[in-house]
């Protein structure tokens, strides 16, 4: 019924908790990343208390085993997460009053410990429930999307490298069309790029269109993606792969 006793730390695995952006009332918080060794003490999730004078973002950036959220529906000792052998992450509720929900299923009754539940990449977590309709941020529940094993996205890989090459090719339409010079030329204004179709309008991505290329390298027509960008700016969750990004993050 409890987390395993700490043992000799094994290899580390990246855990990233990002806000689940599903409506305008979602509580905003900065993504939290931890490299969690196998067998290390659990990460403890609880309510943020400003005793140190640091803001909640700065407190979570310290790299400690405490994950804090600024909401009164989160208990001081709400839940804990740990990693076991084989890069398997687990979560359990630690007698929270308002509950911990994994993929919309409550883990235990109020003020009762839960058994461990395995976390997988893409799972959704919810800490507590909205109080007084969630009209104020301090009374909103915390909706979280779990990212596990996505370290490859932060470095060059075949997918984003190909997307960058295709982006550069858009500025050279002549070079792109020279490859099909021996075939019937396409109608004027319809030269296709190497990108796939826009998943929102299902029309092709072509030259001389305003495009939005997400940090995950998925591409959309700017006109199609603009309502989503404006709703949650600067937070962005890709509608294809659900990767979360801060659009105002420094380009370096």
């Amino acid at each position: 019924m409890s987390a395993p006793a700490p043992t000799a730390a094994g290899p580390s695995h990246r855990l990233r908790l990002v806000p689940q952006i599903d409506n305008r009332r979602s509580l905003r918080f900065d993504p939290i990343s931890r490299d969690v060794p196998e067998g290390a003490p659990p990460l403890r999730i609880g309510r943020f208390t400003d005793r140190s004078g640091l803001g909640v973002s700065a407190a979570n950036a310290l790299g400690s085993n405490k994950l804090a959220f600024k909401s009164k529906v989160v208990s001081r000792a709400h839940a804990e997460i740990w990693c076991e052998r084989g890069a398997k992450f687990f979560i359990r509720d630690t007698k929270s009053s308002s509950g911990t929900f994994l993929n919309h299923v409550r883990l235990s009754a109020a003020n009762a410990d839960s058994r461990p539940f395995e976390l997988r990449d893409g799972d959704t977590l919810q800490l507590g429930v909205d109080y007084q309709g969630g009209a104020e941020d301090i009374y909103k529940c915390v909706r979280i999307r779990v990212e596990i094993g996505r370290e490859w996205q932060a470095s060059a890989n075949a997918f984003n490298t190909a997307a960058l090459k295709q982006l550069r090719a858009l500025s050279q339409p002549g070079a792109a069309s020279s490859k099909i010079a021996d075939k019937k030329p396409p109608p004027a204004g319809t030269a296709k790029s190497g990108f796939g179709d826009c998943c929102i309008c299902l029309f092709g991505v072509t030259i001389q269109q305003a495009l939005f290329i997400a940090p995950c390298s998925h591409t959309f027509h700017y006109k199609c993606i603009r309502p989503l960008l404006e709703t949650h700016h600067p937070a962005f969750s890709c509608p294809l792969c659900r990767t979360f990004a801060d659009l105002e993050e420094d380009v370096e």
Side-chain angles (χ1 to χ4, degrees):
M1 295 297 294
S2 60
T7 58
S12 297
H13 305 281
R14 174 63 58 89
L15 172 72
R16 189 167 182 250
L17 305 179
V18 302
Q20 170 75 7
I21 301 177
D22 51 7
N23 56 58
R24 292 178 182 269
R25 291 167 49 189
S26 298
L27 180 68
R28 302 287 182 86
F29 63 89
D30 290 337
I32 303 172
S33 296
R34 291 290 188 276
D35 290 317
V36 185
E38 297 178 2
L43 301 174
R44 304 189 183 280
I45 300 174
R47 186 193 311 162
F48 173 71
T49 54
D50 200 7
R51 297 176 181 175
S52 62
L54 297 173
V56 60
S57 298
N60 284 326
L62 293 177
S64 68
N65 70 327
K66 296 180 180 179
L67 310 180
F69 297 94
K70 196 172 183 178
S71 172
K72 288 189 176 182
V73 303
V74 177
S75 300
R76 294 184 183 275
H78 196 102
E80 58 185 18
I81 297 175
W82 68 93
C83 182
E84 295 186 2
R85 183 177 299 177
K88 292 185 177 181
F89 283 86
F90 292 87
I91 185 172
R92 75 181 186 98
D93 189 293
T94 52
K95 298 183 179 180
S96 70
S97 58
S98 54
T100 302
F101 301 80
L102 176 59
N103 297 324
H104 311 292
V105 177
R106 187 163 181 164
L107 303 187
S108 65
N111 304 311
D113 282 319
S114 75
R115 67 176 179 84
F117 289 83
E118 185 174 356
L119 283 176
R120 295 180 173 86
D121 182 56
D123 281 349
T124 58
L125 281 177
Q126 179 176 317
L127 308 178
V129 293
D130 288 337
Y131 178 67
Q132 294 183 348
E136 300 179 44
D137 283 352
I138 199 67
Y139 296 125
K140 291 179 179 179
C141 67
V142 182
R143 295 183 177 91
I144 303 170
R145 178 170 290 275
V146 179
E147 295 183 359
I148 297 174
R150 297 196 183 190
E151 294 88 340
W152 64 273
Q153 290 183 332
S155 59
N157 56 70
F159 177 68
N160 57 33
T161 301
L164 179 61
K165 291 180 180 179
Q166 293 162 1
L167 173 63
R168 289 172 173 169
L170 287 177
S171 63
Q172 301 174 351
S177 60
S178 64
K179 296 180 180 180
I180 55 173
D182 56 336
K183 299 181 181 180
K184 183 178 179 180
T190 61
K192 287 291 295 293
S193 72
F195 291 106
D197 296 341
C198 173
C199 72
I200 299 175
C201 68
L202 303 182
F203 283 98
V205 173
T206 65
I207 296 170
Q208 294 185 336
Q209 292 177 336
L211 305 178
F212 174 81
I213 301 180
C216 57
S217 298
H218 287 121
T219 307
F220 314 89
H221 294 126
Y222 177 72
K223 181 179 180 181
C224 299
I225 200 71
R226 179 179 173 181
L228 182 61
L229 298 178
E230 294 178 342
T231 299
H232 303 291
H233 187 272
F236 173 75
S237 180
C238 176
L240 280 176
C241 65
R242 297 298 183 186
T243 297
F244 178 88
D246 179 0
L247 297 182
E248 291 188 351
E249 193 173 25
D250 195 293
V251 295
E252 295 182 1

